[in-house]
Amino acid sequence: MHNEIDLDQINIHSEPPAEEPARQYYFMAKCRERVKDFTLKHGRVPTSCVVNMGCQMNARDSEKLTGILEEIGYQKTESEEADFVLYNTCTVRENANNKVYGRLGCLNRYRRENPHMLIGLCGCMMQEPAVVEKIKQSYRFVNLIFGTHNLYKFAELLYTVFENTSGGAQKDGHSMTIDIWQDTDKIVEELPVERKYAFKSGVNIMFGCNNFCSYCIVPYVRGRERSRKPEDILQEVRKLAADGVTEVMLLGQNVNSYGKTLEEPYTFARLLRDVAEIDGIERIRFMTSHPKDLSDELIAVMAQSEKICRHLHLPLQSGSSRILSKMNRKYTKEQYLNLVEKVRAAIPDIAITTDIIVGFPGETEEDFKETMDVVCRVKYDSAFTFLYSRRTGTPAAAMENQVPEEIAKERFERLLCKVQQLASQKAMRLEGTVQKVLVEHVNEKVESLVTGRTDNNSVVHLPGDKSMIGKILDVYLKECKGFYYIGEAR
Ligand code: SAH
Ligand code: SF4
Ligand code: F3S
């Protein structure tokens, strides 16, 4: 965690500053007083638990929220029986929403046991007015709701919650603190952020999305695309490197369009080159690449730099050009296949992974066969497959010929089977080779093993101990076990 401002230096009895991030540090200092009062009164430090329910962007947001809670003095716990539980929600598919409602029921039971418990909801699902309405009606025990655009205001909002509840204790019929913004172009830098791992970290390079794929709710809940300034990103990576981080994952919904919203034009390829020059950074990953924006310049930079991992996540979504057009993806099957060929010609050992949606409105058996054809030709190292989920407000939700669930499910099973079969054949190719492996943690099941990842993202288990965590080692991959390898350090 890096805190930019010392909370002890802040006069909490003065008026709150107007500018950011000073204003948030002021509220962190005020919240910290409340946490200290709680500790004195109850003889224990209050606990907090941030539950991440979404993608890598959400996971990074959760680290920011946890960073602020740590700064305030909360004790982090994994248990949802904590004094403050915050769900950072996802809404990309309908089942994500249903899970939240189910889990809120459980939280309410814990709350009855613990009168001090506070409950918060944030993230993408909260950007949907119908969701907030439902929570206001049926989950009145929730204390705090905020969205994706004002996450940086978390300390200020939490202080309002403290004010609305007596010293952290729950009052019946209390008012919910709700603050949802529709969009923002504001990016607040230099707030605290949790360092989940000593040796690797995600780094946001941009927020929002302008692509409006017709099935997708993300542009509506994350707002318009905006890029962080290159100097802010590089400064963050330099600090991480100075702190011992060797692997960074650059994050955005479509990293290939990085820089388009900046005053001075800047490309993602150039950013990668600049990050690669930072001493101490050994591995660079990024996510996600939209095929329509993947430039020759980027392929060249990837091919040249040893530090950029040999892994490209290149969502296909569908193999049918007809469906791709209805999805508003702006590439055809042929263009996608040509792109894969170009990438493989430049970087022969690259691992390619993807996302595929089955059952998009109007998808016929013929369209589905086109998807299977691309899968068989590309032979992905792995693929995330999803059943199409109808998201209210997106253009696809209003399209005719929604595919009946049984048909979509049957296609989904066929696709999954093919993807797994091809991926396990593909995995065999590294057997018997020596690869660089970044050791990430001690194996959860066998204590005498450690687990790490190769440059192209394959999982490797090898004999070792915790002293190896964070190191990049040469590892002989003795045996492939389907989706992972057994290796030996050289
Ligand atoms: N920005 C990323 C994707 C973020 S969402 C990209 O463009 O690749 C992650 C994945 O969820 C998408 O790639 C898509 O495959 C899937 N997805 C998005 N909306 C969906 C929906 N309505 N139904 C099913 N899957 C969906
Ligand atoms: Fe959604 Fe498309 Fe944006 Fe990805 S690129 S987040 S799939 S709209
Ligand atoms: Fe979900 Fe929001 Fe990510 S909807 S996939 S958490 S951007």
Side-chain angles (χ1 to χ4, degrees), residues 135-149:
I135 291 163
K136 271 168 41 187
Q137 299 293 327
S138 311
Y139 301 89
R140 289 175 45 79
F141 53 88
V142 171
N143 302 89
L144 170 64
I145 303 178
F146 59 101
T148 55
H149 302 300

Side-chain angles (χ1 to χ4, degrees), residues 209 211-213 215-216 218-219 253-254 290 317 329:
C209 180
N211 289 311
F212 290 95
C213 301
Y215 50 83
C216 185
V218 171
Q253 293 296 355
N254 175 12
H290 195 306
Q317 311 302 2
R329 288 290 288 179

Side-chain angles (χ1 to χ4, degrees), residues 398-451:
M399 285 181 190
E400 287 173 1
N401 299 324
Q402 299 281 327
V403 176
E405 203 178 318
E406 326 78 76
I407 296 184
K409 277 194 175 148
E410 187 270 332
R411 287 180 192 158
F412 179 87
E413 290 305 324
R414 270 194 281 160
L415 176 67
L416 189 65
C417 196
K418 183 52 82 186
V419 158
Q420 287 178 343
Q421 178 201 348
L422 291 168
S424 60
Q425 282 170 12
K426 194 84 193 287
M428 298 296 289
R429 82 197 144 106
L430 292 184
E431 199 176 76
T433 65
V434 174
Q435 300 287 328
K436 295 221 175 298
V437 171
L438 170 61
V439 177
E440 299 198 340
H441 52 84
V442 173
N443 192 282
E444 288 99 2
K445 292 187 190 132
V446 189
E447 231 177 85
S448 57
L449 292 180
V450 290
T451 301

Side-chain angles (χ1 to χ4, degrees), residues 96-268:
N97 287 31
N98 295 337
K99 255 187 235 160
V100 170
Y101 296 124
R103 283 171 77 162
L104 273 176
C106 292
L107 281 194
N108 197 20
R109 280 199 295 281
Y110 298 147
R111 192 186 66 97
R112 290 206 194 98
E113 302 284 306
N114 175 4
H116 310 294
M117 187 172 180
L118 296 172
I119 296 172
L121 297 171
C122 64
C124 296
M125 192 176 150
M126 299 306 128
Q127 291 295 138
E128 293 175 272
V131 167
V132 176
E133 212 36 56
K134 180 165 173 167
I135 291 163
K136 271 168 41 187
Q137 299 293 327
S138 311
Y139 301 89
R140 289 175 45 79
F141 53 88
V142 171
N143 302 89
L144 170 64
I145 303 178
F146 59 101
T148 55
H149 302 300
N150 54 351
L151 185 119
Y152 74 88
K153 274 184 69 186
F154 174 46
E156 186 170 348
L157 295 170
L158 185 60
Y159 188 70
T160 312
V161 173
F162 286 155
E163 292 272 271
N164 286 346
T165 53
S166 53
Q170 192 94 303
K171 281 192 288 194
D172 271 345
H174 67 272
S175 62
M176 253 184 222
T177 302
I178 304 177
D179 193 16
I180 312 280
W181 297 2
Q182 282 319 306
D183 203 348
T184 184
D185 52 10
K186 205 172 167 110
I187 298 178
V188 178
E189 297 286 346
E190 303 192 343
L191 284 168
V193 50
E194 181 202 17
R195 279 284 308 284
K196 205 162 185 170
Y197 302 93
F199 55 89
K200 69 169 181 178
S201 178
V203 174
N204 294 110
I205 64 165
M206 60 209 294
F207 303 96
C209 180
N210 283 355
N211 289 311
F212 290 95
C213 301
S214 64
Y215 50 83
C216 185
I217 202 164
V218 171
Y220 305 90
V221 295
R222 285 269 167 183
R224 296 292 57 75
E225 180 180 299
R226 53 215 178 271
S227 296
R228 279 177 78 192
K229 292 193 193 111
E231 54 275 24
D232 288 336
I233 298 168
L234 295 172
Q235 173 77 349
E236 180 175 345
V237 177
R238 270 187 224 109
K239 266 193 201 157
L240 288 167
D243 241 15
V245 164
T246 50
E247 178 177 303
V248 286
M249 163 85 94
L250 307 181
L251 296 170
Q253 293 296 355
N254 175 12
V255 292
N256 297 330
S257 73
Y258 172 77
K260 285 189 183 155
T261 59
L262 295 170
E263 276 167 27
E264 271 183 50
Y266 207 92
T267 63
F268 180 57

Side-chain angles (χ1 to χ4, degrees), residues 52-59 88-93 96 123-125 148 216-218 221-222 253:
N52 185 63
M53 297 171 155
C55 63
Q56 254 120 349
M57 254 70 65
N58 248 42
N88 190 10
T89 61
C90 171
T91 188
V92 78
R93 284 168 290 274
C124 296
M125 192 176 150
T148 55
C216 185
I217 202 164
V218 171
V221 295
R222 285 269 167 183
Q253 293 296 355

Side-chain angles (χ1 to χ4, degrees), residues 55 57 90-94 208-209 211 213-218 252-255 287-291 313-317 327 329 354-358 360 384-391 394 396:
C55 63
M57 254 70 65
C90 171
T91 188
V92 78
R93 284 168 290 274
E94 183 66 30
C209 180
N211 289 311
C213 301
S214 64
Y215 50 83
C216 185
I217 202 164
V218 171
Q253 293 296 355
N254 175 12
V255 292
M287 163 119 323
T288 297
S289 291
H290 195 306
H313 186 64
L314 196 64
L316 168 69
Q317 311 302 2
M327 285 177 161
R329 288 290 288 179
T354 202
D355 291 348
I356 301 170
I357 298 176
V358 176
F360 182 84
F384 295 103
T385 50
F386 304 105
L387 268 178
Y388 168 71
S389 170
R390 198 172 180 172
R391 308 308 288 121
T394 62

